[in-house]
Amino acid sequence: MWTADEAGALLREWLPSVDLVIASDDELPRCLPGPPGGTAEGAARLLDLGVREVVVTHGAAGATAFTDSGSRHRPATPVRAVDPVGTGDAFVAGYLSALLDGADLAGRLARAATTGAFAVASAGDWEGAPTRGTGPAGRATRHRRAVSGTAANLGPCLVTNTGAAPVAPPSS
C-alpha cells in the first residue's frame, strides 16, 4: 500500500487526463496540488486544471458535484446502517453507471446515493447491490425499506477517465 503522500503525488500527475474525480471530504486534498483549502475551493482548483466534474462525498451528509456550470448537493438516502464496507465503491458504481446511461447530474447523484444506501443497509461489500430491472429509466427493482439513520462512509478517492468503453450490466 502507498502512503497518502505517494498516492497523492501519482494522482496529481494524472489530472491533465482526468474527466471525473470522486473523493471524500478527507481524500480530496490528496488529489490537489498545493495547500488543501475548503471543499468548494478544492473542486474549483481541479476544474481549473481541466477536470470536467468533481464529486465530493460527505458521509451521512450526502455528496456534492461540481462542474463549470455550478454545484449540486444530494443528501444521503435514509437507511438503517448495517455495514459501511463497500459503501463508497457502491456510490461510485452507481454514479458511473448513471453517467454511462446518459443521466444528468441530478440523476447521477440520485443513483449514487441509492446504490450507496443499498450497500450500507446490507452486511458485506456486495450483498446489497441493486440489479437492473424493467422499471422506468432502468431503476433498480430490488427495494429495501428505508428506516431511521443515513448512509454513511460514502467514498474512496477515485480518479477515472470517462472515455472508457461501457461495460454491459450483469443480467438480473
Side-chain angles (χ1 to χ4, degrees):
M1 297 302 260
W2 300 348
T3 66
D5 290 338
E6 291 168 334
L10 184 59
L11 292 172
R12 287 187 296 276
E13 283 180 32
W14 293 346
L15 287 176
S17 303
V18 170
D19 293 318
L20 170 64
V21 172
I22 302 176
S24 66
D25 283 320
D26 61 330
E27 293 164 335
L28 184 65
R30 250 182 256 153
C31 303
L32 298 168
T39 299
E41 178 189 333
R45 287 173 43 207
L46 289 173
L47 294 171
D48 288 344
L49 291 170
V51 175
R52 288 192 261 175
E53 195 168 334
V54 178
V55 180
V56 182
T57 61
H58 314 291
T64 306
F66 299 87
T67 67
D68 285 336
S69 302
S71 65
R72 181 174 199 106
H73 179 76
R74 168 71 187 210
T77 301
V79 296
R80 181 179 52 84
V82 173
D83 184 357
V85 173
T87 305
D89 295 336
F91 179 93
V92 171
Y95 198 90
L96 293 176
S97 74
L99 178 68
L100 292 171
D101 283 347
D104 64 6
L105 189 60
R108 295 191 295 270
L109 284 169
R111 188 178 300 173
T114 299
T115 54
F118 274 118
V120 80
S122 304
D125 57 353
W126 61 268
E127 289 79 357
T131 58
R132 288 189 188 266
T134 58
R139 281 186 288 201
T141 56
R142 191 167 154 193
H143 301 284
R144 297 202 183 265
R145 180 172 50 96
V147 294
S148 63
T150 42
N153 190 24
L154 289 182
C157 184
L158 171 78
V159 180
T160 183
N161 184 317
T162 57
V167 177
S171 58
S172 330

